[in-house]
Amino acid sequence: MKTPSYVGLDISKSCIDLHQLPQERSARFEYGREGLSKLVAFCKKRKPALIVLEATGGYETQVAAELCVAVVNPRQVRDFARALGKLAKTDAIDAAVLARFAQDIRLEARKLPEPEEQALKASVARRRQLVEMLVAEKNRLSRATLQSVIDSHESTISFIQSKIDDLDRQMQSTIQNSPLWSAKDELLKSVPGIGDKTACALLAQLPELGKLNRRQIVSLVGVAPMNRDSGLMRGKRSITGGGKAVRNALYMATTAARRFNPAITAFFLRLRAAGKSYKVALVACMRKLLTILNAMVKNQNTFNQCIAASLDF
């Protein structure tokens, strides 16, 4: 029986370093059309059991489009390298660590999302960047005194706002033209506190919604309280990990739901009455809202107090 092999790929702007275990085979390919073709041919010929690479801010997309890979968090891999005593860091060493990570952890390889899903996700990320630019420009405007500078800021603000409006129209059109997304969008927006922007962010950045159980979904998003205990010491619980973008969208939705969603309002007031701090109560409401949304999508039910009370969340 053939021994399964594991491949680690370290991707940079100029090249792709490959390491294969247990053969201890290394190779380097140029980052480009020709180099990518050679990499794909190399991997298809040897048929590794798993290929692992790090999320590198976009450079991994072309490789993931051609091969079935597992994309991992760079911090997780770096911690793994330290545990192995690998303190030095080069492209070749990183590729070898990724191959060892693939061999020991045995992750599930996944195909790249469909082009429509990638496009929606990219649009949501771009909108977030534009909003950050808009806030920064408005802050600069508030401190400007010279009229020519004020005019420049106002012109830039108007331009950025127009780009945000264009993206909003584009994303809504994309969602409405997809039967699956439009149905989910309707469900999500039936919840008081969930608007167009939050629904769009959840559709693009949390495709697992409705596919996992409540414990898995809160852990994935990063709103599950983690223990910090050792011996007799009982540390303060805190949330960690997960996707920051999804968590930010959920935070804004919960802030609105705390005022306008009867189920979340009652839950928040009950926690505050029990002595919980504002922040702890709000995070608990985020978790509650997420589990409600997850149960709604899973059961294909719109929100109302009677249905929400009967769902398993």
Side-chain angles (χ1 to χ4, degrees):
M1 188 173 180
K2 187 179 178 181
T3 304
S5 66
Y6 301 89
V7 167
L9 298 178
D10 184 77
I11 303 174
S12 66
K13 188 176 181 179
S14 59
C15 63
I16 303 171
D17 282 271
L18 176 148
H19 193 87
Q20 183 183 17
L21 289 175
Q23 293 83 359
E24 295 291 353
R25 183 183 289 118
S26 296
R28 170 170 284 194
F29 306 89
E30 287 187 8
Y31 189 89
R33 185 175 299 175
E34 186 179 346
L36 185 58
S37 298
K38 291 179 179 178
L39 169 66
V40 171
F42 180 98
C43 291
K44 287 184 176 179
K45 180 180 179 181
R46 288 159 180 82
K47 298 179 180 178
L50 180 62
I51 302 171
V52 167
L53 51 86
E54 292 177 330
T56 56
Y59 290 118
E60 78 281 1
T61 305
Q62 281 188 293
V63 178
E66 297 289 340
L67 298 168
C68 190
V69 301
V71 182
V72 297
N73 188 320
R75 185 174 64 179
Q76 188 180 6
V77 177
R78 197 66 226 149
D79 290 342
F80 180 78
R82 290 192 186 97
L84 294 176
K86 304 282 187 182
L87 303 182
K89 192 179 188 309
T90 67
D91 293 342
I93 291 174
D94 287 348
V97 169
L98 283 164
R100 178 71 182 273
F101 188 88
Q103 188 179 51
D104 292 354
I105 306 300
R106 308 289 176 90
L107 300 172
E108 180 185 353
R110 296 181 181 180
K111 290 185 177 179
L112 200 68
E114 294 298 320
E116 294 81 6
E117 187 178 338
Q118 293 181 56
L120 184 61
K121 190 172 183 178
S123 296
V124 169
R126 181 56 183 160
R127 187 186 189 279
R128 186 171 62 250
Q129 293 166 358
L130 288 171
V131 168
E132 290 172 359
M133 292 164 61
L134 184 65
V135 171
E137 199 64 17
K138 285 182 176 179
N139 289 337
R140 295 186 191 105
L141 173 62
S142 66
R143 297 190 296 270
T145 56
L146 194 64
Q147 187 58 47
S148 60
V149 175
I150 291 174
D151 292 343
S152 175
H153 284 309
E154 289 178 342
S155 175
T156 303
I157 288 170
S158 178
F159 175 77
I160 295 173
Q161 186 62 60
S162 69
K163 290 301 180 184
I164 292 173
D165 294 340
D166 289 344
L167 270 177
D168 286 341
R169 285 190 291 269
Q170 177 188 325
M171 289 188 294
Q172 283 305 309
S173 175
T174 301
I175 290 170
Q176 294 308 315
N177 289 332
S178 166
L180 178 61
W181 280 345
S182 59
K184 276 189 178 182
D185 184 61
E186 247 183 78
L187 288 177
L188 294 174
K189 288 194 291 190
S190 71
V191 180
I194 302 291
D196 290 342
K197 311 302 181 296
T198 304
C200 189
L202 292 174
L203 287 172
Q205 298 171 319
L206 193 61
E208 297 86 359
L209 194 66
K211 299 176 183 177
L212 305 176
N213 64 41
R214 60 189 180 89
R215 290 185 178 84
Q216 291 171 326
I217 199 72
V218 297
S219 178
L220 177 66
V221 174
V223 290
M226 298 296 176
N227 294 355
R228 293 290 185 273
D229 301 337
S230 180
L232 298 177
M233 188 273 289
R234 293 294 177 267
K236 186 177 180 181
R237 272 58 172 165
S238 61
I239 59 174
T240 186
K244 185 179 178 182
V246 176
R247 204 160 51 240
N248 287 346
L250 190 62
Y251 172 84
M252 297 305 296
T254 306
T255 302
R258 185 182 66 81
R259 297 176 59 196
F260 303 111
N261 187 318
I264 299 300
T265 300
F267 184 60
F268 179 81
L269 293 175
R270 187 163 71 248
L271 291 174
R272 291 290 280 154
K276 301 297 183 183
S277 69
Y278 178 89
K279 187 176 180 180
V280 168
L282 193 64
V283 171
C285 287
M286 288 171 63
R287 192 160 55 249
K288 184 80 166 179
L289 180 59
L290 178 61
T291 54
I292 290 174
L293 295 172
N294 189 59
M296 284 172 51
V297 174
K298 182 181 290 186
N299 294 280
Q300 292 295 295
N301 284 315
T302 57
F303 178 87
N304 63 55
Q305 291 185 40
C306 296
I307 294 177
S310 67
L311 292 176
D312 179 23
F313 57 82

